[in-house]
Amino acid sequence: MELTQSQINEFNENGFLIIKDFAKEELCNNILEKAKSHLERKQAPIESEQEYMQVSDENITVRRLRQVYDREEVFKEWMTSDDIRPILKQVLNDTPVLTLAHHNSIMTKLAHESTRTFWHQDRRYWNFENDNLVSVWLSLGDEYLENGLLEFIPKSHKLTFSKDRFDEDSNFLDSNKENQELIKTRTSSNLKKGDVVLFHCKTLHHASKNASNEAKISFVYTVRAKSNAPIKNTRSDYKEVILD
């Protein structure tokens, strides 16, 4: 499969693109089964809700399973799928490279336990020569606003922001008047199992807490353009996989 020119234009214009019914149900079910097993065991490495919110609590609520590429063969199968490589090459305009230091995760919004994900750009985590990086989000079930659906601010990947519009953790400040006006332009679209969302590393996005009675579980990984090298001796200078 390859993207149409219209889809490429949409990604370039808005900074994100939804591809419906992309991953097969059997693959999604196999990923979900393994993910639930790791979540139940709280198998390290993980990020907890307590860590994200910077609060002390003896109870640990898993927010994400980290470093999933090496956890299960089915996770690796999805991240190296031949089906999506042509698409990633199109949006990067280059050979895609899996950057396993970042966004190599199973993301969770546990029912009534999850916290909000603040508005942010993923670029805050990374150290590369430029911003030609794209995240691949796979929905493993229904995703909608009440259970923590991703919302995006269209065209925000093209904007330049002053530092005072972010907090010390690089979250986009809700209290900033300019930010409030921009946040009014946010958009979202419900997702089903097998839907994929591609989004640029500078596209602002967030997700509310999960107010439903079922956990929401998703899979996200990030690719860079082959020509966009990581900065030496940074966290981003880590194990990678070239998707020729």
Side-chain angles (χ1 to χ4, degrees), residues 176-188:
N176 181 285
K177 294 290 180 62
E178 290 179 285
N179 292 1
Q180 290 172 3
E181 290 303 308
L182 187 61
I183 290 170
K184 289 178 182 178
T185 69
R186 66 188 181 185
T187 187
S188 63

Side-chain angles (χ1 to χ4, degrees), residues 123 126-133 201 225 227-229 231:
R123 188 67 174 87
W126 304 333
N127 296 279
F128 293 89
E129 291 179 353
N130 60 56
D131 295 324
N132 199 7
L133 297 108
C201 72
S227 59
N228 181 21
I231 305 300

Side-chain angles (χ1 to χ4, degrees), residues 60-167:
I60 297 298
T61 302
V62 178
R63 183 178 179 83
R64 78 169 84 191
L65 299 171
R66 298 180 181 273
Q67 299 301 323
V68 298
Y69 180 83
D70 291 317
R71 287 178 183 249
E72 297 283 354
E73 190 61 33
V74 69
F75 297 165
K76 185 179 297 184
E77 176 187 345
W78 165 241
M79 295 174 73
T80 58
S81 169
D82 289 337
D83 293 338
I84 203 168
R85 292 187 193 195
I87 291 173
L88 299 179
K89 187 172 185 178
Q90 285 179 289
V91 296
L92 292 169
N93 198 29
D94 197 350
T95 299
V97 179
L98 280 174
T99 172
L100 299 179
H102 312 289
H103 268 38
N104 166 14
S105 307
I106 299 291
M107 307 294 295
T108 67
K109 289 280 186 183
L110 300 184
H112 306 295
E113 296 182 70
S114 71
T115 58
R116 175 194 172 195
T117 302
F118 300 109
W119 287 103
H120 68 282
Q121 299 170 309
D122 286 341
R123 188 67 174 87
R124 63 181 175 175
Y125 303 118
W126 304 333
N127 296 279
F128 293 89
E129 291 179 353
N130 60 56
D131 295 324
N132 199 7
L133 297 108
V134 172
S135 289
V136 181
W137 182 279
L138 172 64
S139 177
L140 298 173
D142 291 344
E143 301 192 22
Y144 45 92
L145 289 177
E146 289 76 10
N147 74 350
L149 174 70
L150 283 177
E151 296 183 86
F152 296 97
I153 297 180
K155 306 178 183 181
S156 54
H157 65 305
K158 298 180 178 182
L159 301 177
T160 300
F161 301 104
S162 57
K163 290 185 178 179
D164 64 340
R165 295 178 70 170
F166 297 85
D167 67 16

Side-chain angles (χ1 to χ4, degrees), residues 3-14 16-17:
L3 299 178
T4 65
Q5 189 58 52
S6 176
Q7 287 175 307
I8 295 171
N9 293 344
E10 182 179 346
F11 176 83
N12 290 335
E13 178 68 15
N14 291 325
F16 67 95
L17 176 70

